[in-house]
Amino acid sequence: MDFYNITVTYGDKTYAGYEFDQLPFGAAKAATGMLIDEAADFARRRILSDSFRVLEYARAASEAAAFKAADYQGEMPRAVKSWAEASKLTPKEAADSILRKAAMWDDAMYEIRDLRLKGKARALETENHEAAKAVVVATTDAIYQLAKQNAGIEL
């Protein structure tokens, strides 16, 4: 975690290029949220690898869910069909596979959200720079570990 060259706006003032410990404590607290958000953004990018795929994956999951709700009957949705053909799966296997991966993605995103929001709240409750830094480090370490465990979830 880089606690150098921080730029943050606090109140009506922008602090540019500061070390964390040199910021007024209110500005440092504001910076903790920014640092934790950056770690969460990195983790989401690492897990998915391409933010434009989110739309593709969401559509595939939606189509697979609708196909499952129709008891896998009727015309196979395009996203399910392309996965079934590419992976040589039956329509049911393809839809279920898409839904399992989508659930993994959702779980990872909820875990990141949980860590991010709770870390930011804990950082705001700190009373000095050292304690705030410790919360940022613990939170970002947990987020990075989660990203490492879930890197490359593909649908």
Side-chain angles (χ1 to χ4, degrees), residues 58-125:
R59 179 163 292 166
S62 175
E63 289 180 12
F67 190 53
K68 181 178 180 177
D71 202 27
Y72 308 98
Q73 301 299 310
E75 187 174 340
M76 196 177 357
R78 289 177 70 180
V80 175
K81 183 177 180 184
S82 62
W83 180 237
E85 291 173 354
S87 59
K88 298 181 180 26
L89 296 172
T90 67
K92 180 183 184 312
E93 291 170 337
D96 290 346
S97 171
I98 290 168
L99 292 171
R100 275 191 307 278
K101 294 292 184 170
M104 289 171 62
W105 165 248
D106 287 347
D107 287 346
M109 292 302 96
Y110 283 126
E111 287 182 53
I112 290 169
R113 178 179 173 75
D114 186 61
L115 290 167
R116 181 179 66 83
L117 293 176
K118 288 176 181 175
K120 288 170 66 170
R122 281 193 314 273
L124 291 176
E125 294 170 352

Side-chain angles (χ1 to χ4, degrees), residues 4-152:
Y4 303 95
N5 199 25
I6 294 174
T7 299
V8 64
T9 300
Y10 177 70
D12 60 351
K13 187 170 181 181
T14 298
Y15 300 88
Y18 278 71
E19 290 184 27
F20 186 82
D21 293 334
Q22 312 257 299
L23 288 166
F25 189 55
K29 280 184 162 183
T32 61
M34 177 188 71
L35 294 167
I36 291 169
D37 282 343
E38 287 173 1
D41 293 345
F42 169 82
R44 285 187 292 265
R45 283 190 306 273
R46 174 125 166 108
I47 291 169
L48 192 56
S49 77
D50 179 356
S51 59
F52 288 109
R53 285 190 210 156
V54 171
L55 297 173
E56 176 188 341
Y57 292 174
R59 179 163 292 166
S62 175
E63 289 180 12
F67 190 53
K68 181 178 180 177
D71 202 27
Y72 308 98
Q73 301 299 310
E75 187 174 340
M76 196 177 357
R78 289 177 70 180
V80 175
K81 183 177 180 184
S82 62
W83 180 237
E85 291 173 354
S87 59
K88 298 181 180 26
L89 296 172
T90 67
K92 180 183 184 312
E93 291 170 337
D96 290 346
S97 171
I98 290 168
L99 292 171
R100 275 191 307 278
K101 294 292 184 170
M104 289 171 62
W105 165 248
D106 287 347
D107 287 346
M109 292 302 96
Y110 283 126
E111 287 182 53
I112 290 169
R113 178 179 173 75
D114 186 61
L115 290 167
R116 181 179 66 83
L117 293 176
K118 288 176 181 175
K120 288 170 66 170
R122 281 193 314 273
L124 291 176
E125 294 170 352
T126 60
E127 295 185 13
N128 58 55
H129 285 80
E130 187 176 322
K133 252 185 175 175
V135 169
V136 171
V137 168
T139 302
T140 57
D141 283 353
I143 289 170
Y144 291 149
Q145 183 61 36
L146 181 66
K148 185 177 178 183
Q149 291 169 352
N150 291 287

